[in-house]
Amino acid sequence: MKIAILGYGKMGREIEKIALSRGNDVVLTIGEDNLNDLTKENLSKADVAIEFSTPDTAYDNIKLCFEANTPVVVGTTGWLDKMDLCIQQTETGKGLFYASNFSVGVNVFFEINKKLAALMSPYEDYKVEMEEVHHTEKLDAPSGTAITLAEGIIDKLPGVNSWVNNKTLSNNELGILSKRIEKVPGTHIVTYENDIDEIYIKHTAHNRKGFALGAVLAAEFMKDKTGFYGMSDLLGL
């Protein structure tokens, strides 16, 4: 399979290594030094594009992939105000796969998070909070993974109807504390606490390999597909 990689930083290079190790061809890589090579013609030579650029460029890159009729796998976060527009276009024969996190372990963690929120729903005296820690190069806060976790909690926990990116005393809000520390791939902790005890679940990424592998698996999944997909489709969750 022929893959284009849009965003050739640390994650892009890790994706390239795994894609090649699985017998795929990387026919295009786009980084800061060769932005002029990002054309509809070059994208059309790929079976699938993998988009890991920046929040400011992701939407334009997705649109260009659509114009080239090249399915695109997107891992960039921080641009989701345009998501509905992208999903609408998949209904006209375009292919889009989006995940806030491509790690198999994180996506299992998403399901555990929703199950725990459902179990905690009768116990209103517990206050739920979240902490997310990432490397200092991450450009958005809270992380896309934290937002997905928050959405799972809000869906299952009556009374919690929004999240804020700071500590909050309101039981109607989920406070997300974002920390940026050098060389931290990603840690997410969801905590329920009252004056009696504390329950928490935690996922810690040791490196980027899990994210990169998931992105390549998603690209292999998207070959010749149209429509909108996510990790639940890939993993059967």
Side-chain angles (χ1 to χ4, degrees), residues 11 14 185-186 204-211:
M11 180 62 75
E14 192 66 44
T204 301
H206 297 308
N207 52 54
R208 292 182 171 85
K209 291 180 182 177
F211 310 134

Side-chain angles (χ1 to χ4, degrees), residues 102-119:
F102 284 85
S103 161
V104 173
V106 165
N107 281 274
V108 172
F109 190 67
F110 287 154
E111 297 302 312
I112 295 170
N113 172 65
K114 288 187 286 188
K115 180 65 174 178
L116 178 58
L119 289 171

Side-chain angles (χ1 to χ4, degrees), residues 51-52 58 62 72-81 83 86-87 90 95-102 107 110 138 140 142-148 151 218 221-222 227-234:
E51 210 289 333
F52 268 84
I62 294 166
V72 56
V73 172
V74 183
T76 307
T77 57
W79 62 276
L80 298 187
D81 56 323
M83 176 62 82
C86 292
I87 293 174
T90 65
L96 172 65
F97 187 113
Y98 172 76
S100 60
N101 195 304
F102 284 85
N107 281 274
F110 287 154
K138 186 165 182 58
D140 56 318
S143 67
T145 300
I147 292 173
T148 300
E151 290 171 345
F221 173 83
M222 283 300 293
F228 178 61
Y229 300 90
M231 289 298 284
S232 59
D233 302 297
L234 176 62

Side-chain angles (χ1 to χ4, degrees), residues 101-232:
N101 195 304
F102 284 85
S103 161
V104 173
V106 165
N107 281 274
V108 172
F109 190 67
F110 287 154
E111 297 302 312
I112 295 170
N113 172 65
K114 288 187 286 188
K115 180 65 174 178
L116 178 58
L119 289 171
M120 297 301 294
S121 61
Y123 310 110
E124 298 179 359
D125 57 324
Y126 281 88
K127 181 76 173 76
V128 59
E129 286 189 334
M130 190 189 313
E131 178 180 298
E132 60 98 355
V133 188
H134 283 85
H135 51 84
T136 53
E137 297 170 1
K138 186 165 182 58
L139 299 178
D140 56 318
S143 67
T145 300
I147 292 173
T148 300
L149 289 165
E151 290 171 345
I153 292 167
I154 291 167
D155 183 55
K156 300 293 184 181
L157 202 62
V160 178
N161 50 41
S162 63
W163 60 264
V164 292
N165 194 204
N166 52 256
K167 194 173 184 65
T168 174
L169 297 177
S170 171
N171 286 333
N172 296 323
E173 294 178 327
L174 167 62
I176 304 174
L177 307 181
S178 297
K179 298 180 180 179
R180 297 294 175 260
I181 301 173
E182 287 187 9
K183 299 180 180 179
V184 176
T187 298
H188 294 83
I189 306 169
V190 178
T191 303
Y192 294 81
E193 184 175 7
N194 64 11
D195 60 352
I196 298 172
D197 56 16
E198 175 182 288
I199 303 167
Y200 72 89
I201 54 174
K202 177 180 179 180
H203 178 275
T204 301
H206 297 308
N207 52 54
R208 292 182 171 85
K209 291 180 182 177
F211 310 134
L213 174 60
V216 174
L217 292 174
E220 294 170 353
F221 173 83
M222 283 300 293
K223 187 177 186 295
D224 299 324
K225 281 188 173 65
T226 61
F228 178 61
Y229 300 90
M231 289 298 284
S232 59

Side-chain angles (χ1 to χ4, degrees), residues 2-112:
K2 297 177 181 178
I3 295 176
I5 300 174
L6 313 184
Y8 199 53
K10 292 178 181 178
M11 180 62 75
R13 287 175 169 80
E14 192 66 44
I15 289 169
E16 181 181 42
K17 286 194 293 185
I18 291 177
L20 294 173
S21 73
R22 293 178 60 84
N24 298 298
D25 294 325
V26 176
V27 297
L28 178 67
T29 59
I30 299 295
E32 293 180 354
D33 298 332
N34 67 328
L35 293 176
N36 290 336
D37 292 335
L38 182 54
T39 64
K40 184 169 69 173
E41 180 182 1
N42 284 339
L43 281 171
S44 67
K45 298 173 184 177
D47 296 310
V48 180
I50 300 177
E51 210 289 333
F52 268 84
S53 62
T54 68
D56 293 334
T57 57
Y59 178 63
D60 288 338
N61 290 347
I62 294 166
K63 287 198 300 181
L64 195 60
C65 289
F66 285 170
E67 292 174 13
N69 289 315
T70 301
V72 56
V73 172
V74 183
T76 307
T77 57
W79 62 276
L80 298 187
D81 56 323
K82 305 288 199 313
M83 176 62 82
D84 287 343
L85 293 174
C86 292
I87 293 174
Q88 289 174 13
Q89 293 180 68
T90 65
E91 298 171 358
T92 64
K94 309 303 181 183
L96 172 65
F97 187 113
Y98 172 76
S100 60
N101 195 304
F102 284 85
S103 161
V104 173
V106 165
N107 281 274
V108 172
F109 190 67
F110 287 154
E111 297 302 312
I112 295 170

